[in-house]
Amino acid sequence: MNLAVPVIQSQLMQILLNVSVIRPVFIWGAPGIGKSALVESFADQVGLPCVSLLGSQLAPEDIIGVPQIVDGKSQFCPPKMIARNEPYCLFLDELNACSQEVQKAFYSLIHERRIGDYHLPEGSIVIGAGNRAQDSAIVKPMSSALINRMFHVQLNVSFQDWISWAYENEIHPIVIEYLESRPDHLWSAPPKTEEPFSTPRSWHMLSDALREFGDNLSPEVVGILAGGSLTPAHATQFKAFYKNLSGKYQLNAILEGKISFPSAAEDRDVLYFLAQSFRAQIIKELPVRKDDISGNHRQFAHTVKKLIKDLSGISFEIAQLVVAKNEQSSNIPDWLMVEIVRDLPRLAVKDKG
């Protein structure tokens, strides 16, 4: 499912505070973007214990319970984790990974907040969550009857919301510093192949691993940790970023003309990282519309063209990466590309050598 109007983390909290108290809410979203953590945080805010059920591991009897003979009649006894006396938040995680039989067992619990003769205590809240089919996750079609019993919301990643959370939760400072320079690396779409990919959850895992190593970090160790957590291209650049922290090359110094891009063969990974950061800085600093250009923008654009020329003298291929169009991310403003093509026409032609 793809909803026309997705929400970010801060908006989701407002929806849960105002909608979930009257209707069950289902949160759609890619793996690793914080759906479960947000529900637990919401339950904590409203002062309710959070009981999580993992849909992919449930059988129908785990919901409706088992029959028991009472006064000569059979009566289903719901499981202890659900049948509580005080109000609570029931979180049905991976609800759309359930079998059809389990989904049917949830009908009355979601719609009427009851299982057999047992009713959820007044004030209880029911929230579901699940991944989408395009995320290469284990999902099963949800019946129209189940879909129609819930209010649906699609969660997207917000860098600003996540970075605020990162500072409050002591995410490793190197992770924070890297993502502040490359916010586009916070999340990447799940790949079709079996390999790690970047999500808020995987950056959190990397942060934990970095903290456990403490002062025993080296570029090689950082490369191993990043490679086991992140999208391969992001892992390579994170390693180069770490290597660059204690090195002599800093993007700000290059932009100010104090130093040049590294040209030594052993610094090629650092050069690639700096070039990608350079591209991100251009996109961040310069307006999309030429009519919005100020004097400062014009001065920065002049610096950009000079540095791209210098970079092309070191590595034409890496200079092309700075200006290349990318359908999956933001691109350098068209007006600047026109000037680059005019002043540096060779960069506009793919190298065929």
Side-chain angles (χ1 to χ4, degrees), residues 134-182:
Q134 66 263 39
D135 297 320
S136 301
I138 299 175
V139 297
K140 295 180 173 64
M142 290 177 64
S143 70
S144 57
L146 186 56
I147 289 175
N148 197 238
R149 281 169 160 79
M150 294 178 287
F151 175 88
H152 297 267
V153 61
Q154 179 174 313
L155 178 65
N156 282 4
V157 176
S158 162
F159 173 75
Q160 291 301 328
D161 283 353
W162 186 86
I163 204 68
S164 297
W165 173 89
Y167 275 108
E168 293 172 1
N169 289 271
E170 299 183 346
I171 294 299
H172 198 286
I174 296 176
V175 169
I176 291 177
E177 188 175 350
Y178 177 81
L179 286 173
E180 285 184 325
S181 68
R182 295 307 308 268

Side-chain angles (χ1 to χ4, degrees), residues 56-78:
S56 57
Q57 299 179 6
L58 294 176
E61 56 269 24
D62 295 326
I63 309 302
I64 61 177
V66 293
Q68 189 178 49
I69 303 301
V70 179
D71 296 331
K73 298 178 182 179
S74 64
Q75 177 179 320
F76 277 90
C77 299

Side-chain angles (χ1 to χ4, degrees), residues 237 240 244 249-252 254 259-262 267-280 311 318 322:
Q237 292 196 46
N244 188 51
Y249 298 107
Q250 298 289 336
L251 181 60
N252 286 341
I254 294 173
I259 60 174
S260 302
F261 282 110
D267 290 326
R268 188 50 56 101
D269 56 345
V270 175
L271 178 65
Y272 181 80
F273 166 75
L274 288 169
Q276 291 293 315
S277 300
F278 181 36
R279 173 187 168 91
L311 184 59
I318 291 181
V322 173

Side-chain angles (χ1 to χ4, degrees), residues 175-196:
V175 169
I176 291 177
E177 188 175 350
Y178 177 81
L179 286 173
E180 285 184 325
S181 68
R182 295 307 308 268
D184 54 316
H185 284 187
L186 176 60
W187 179 84
S188 60
K192 300 301 180 183
T193 55
E194 295 175 322
E195 63 183 27

Side-chain angles (χ1 to χ4, degrees), residues 80-98:
K80 182 179 179 180
M81 71 177 72
I82 294 178
R84 297 182 169 226
N85 297 323
E86 300 296 328
Y88 67 99
C89 176
L90 178 59
F91 178 40
L92 309 176
D93 200 4
E94 297 185 8
L95 177 57
N96 57 338
C98 300

